[in-house]
Amino acid sequence: MLNKTKKPQIILENVSVVYNQGQSNEVRSLENANLKLYPQEYVIIFGPSGCGKSTLLYSIAGLQKPTQGKVTIESSEIYALNKKDMVVFHRKKIGLIFQAFYLIASLDVMDNICLPKTASGESLRKRKKFAKVLLERFGILNQERKMPGELSGGQKQRVSIARALANDPDIILADEPVGNLDSVSSHNVMQILEELNRKDKKTIILVTHDPSHLKYGDRVIYLKDGKIIKEEIIKKKLSAKDAKIQEISVDEKIPQDLKMLIRAFRDLSSSQANVLLIPFKAQQLFSHILLTKTHEHIDRANKNLEELLFDRCSADEFIENLDADLEEGGAGWDRRMAEKFAMRAETILKQVKRIDLMKPEESSSGIVYYLAKTFGLKLTNKQIRRLNDLLLLRLKNRISIKEVQKGIDIPFSGGGVGLDKRTSMKIAQEVEILLLLNYG
Ligand code: ADP
Ligand code: MG
């Protein structure tokens, strides 16, 4: 409920976030945001893709240090805290929910939920008891020993909500939490958020680009081109139970997740980010290389791929593990398939190591050479130059992957590289996977 007689819980004063400041590719993601959010409010941050919603949310979350301005939460200026206090603040005050869940694939549901509490000093028994209460409440207690890979999207998101609640924080921040879910699961998650606000008195800040969500909020903050352009108080707030189930378009593409992921973990050290990213990277690389296999074969192989990405096994051991029977703990693949798969993974990973975003020119020409070899492209010098230019822009994050693909597909006479549609898709996807794996 919006109650402005109370002291604000969260205050943003002239908060700006500028990327690549002073350079030609400068982006003003957030400009001079001033905002007061009150205890137990349900606030919606709404606007089109790229308008700065996540940037705003992460600057509240303590994950995105503003270039300018102050963020104060319950009287602490959060970016003035030292590292240790920041960690404690984070653990106690804030619960985060993301579109892509970010569950750790190698831990079961219970451990995923208890993990964020490890440093809080509470006994594991107590933490587990609390986790069980949450699982029960969200109707997934019987999934407690399952691995994330065995859950549906909706179940995963409920686990990630339970994880966000594990320390009983006052503030829940959710970045497009239903963006990857079917309509029934979306409704279920929206209902949980509504209840957390109404019954548990949590402050909820929900980022969405879906207008059908606006009715759940007490207040809507409209963002456009990095600026807060409007604020609206919703008088007749709907509870999730009353709301009609809405269809939500599901964007299953990698790049959106990737972009979010990279931003979400921007301020973690690269080794921290890497630990969180590896399971995700493994999945992406895996489905990129091979799409059709039975579930068990896939799950096992996926785990092996994680081991490879963590450098816990060599390429040879990787092949052995893929080749070994399921009963022996292997992935049960046939040898030739395993070898082919491992070779492809190795080639990709080798190229990934060669990419250095600090040296975009060298990196882009390296990738052009790699692509030509991998896909057996026969390109003229002029085509090579155009492909190189496109990749350079992508490496500098000035164009999207879609624009890369388009640029490759456009006829040479029209200024493009002039390859066919299928090849352009293949190349664009390959480039994105290289960049994803290079991150962290
Ligand atoms: P939204 O969540 O509304 O889709 P974001 O907050 O993610 O928007 O991004 C706002 C703008 O900032 C976009 O133009 C985006 O491309 C840019 N941006 C986000 N992160 C970075 C980054 N790390 N480097 C450069 N630009 C970025
Ligand atoms: Mg976003």
Side-chain angles (χ1 to χ4, degrees), residues 53-54 175-176 207 256 260 263:
K53 302 182 295 297
S54 297
D175 193 356
E176 315 242 9
V207 159
Q256 195 52 37
M260 240 181 43
R263 279 174 219 150

Side-chain angles (χ1 to χ4, degrees), residues 70-86:
K70 247 174 40 179
V71 179
T72 310
I73 300 184
E74 296 185 353
S75 312
S76 326
E77 192 187 330
I78 59 170
Y79 292 100
L81 296 176
N82 64 34
K83 250 197 181 143
K84 208 175 129 212
D85 290 344
M86 180 68 132

Side-chain angles (χ1 to χ4, degrees), residues 1 6 8-9 32-33 66 99 104 117 149 206 251 259 263 307 325 338 344 421:
M1 202 171 43
K6 286 194 186 162
Q9 188 176 28
N32 259 313
Q99 177 174 17
I104 297 179
K117 256 191 166 173
L206 171 78
D251 187 358
K259 274 194 243 156
R263 279 174 219 150
E307 298 287 299
D325 290 339
R344 177 92 164 97
K421 185 147 232 135

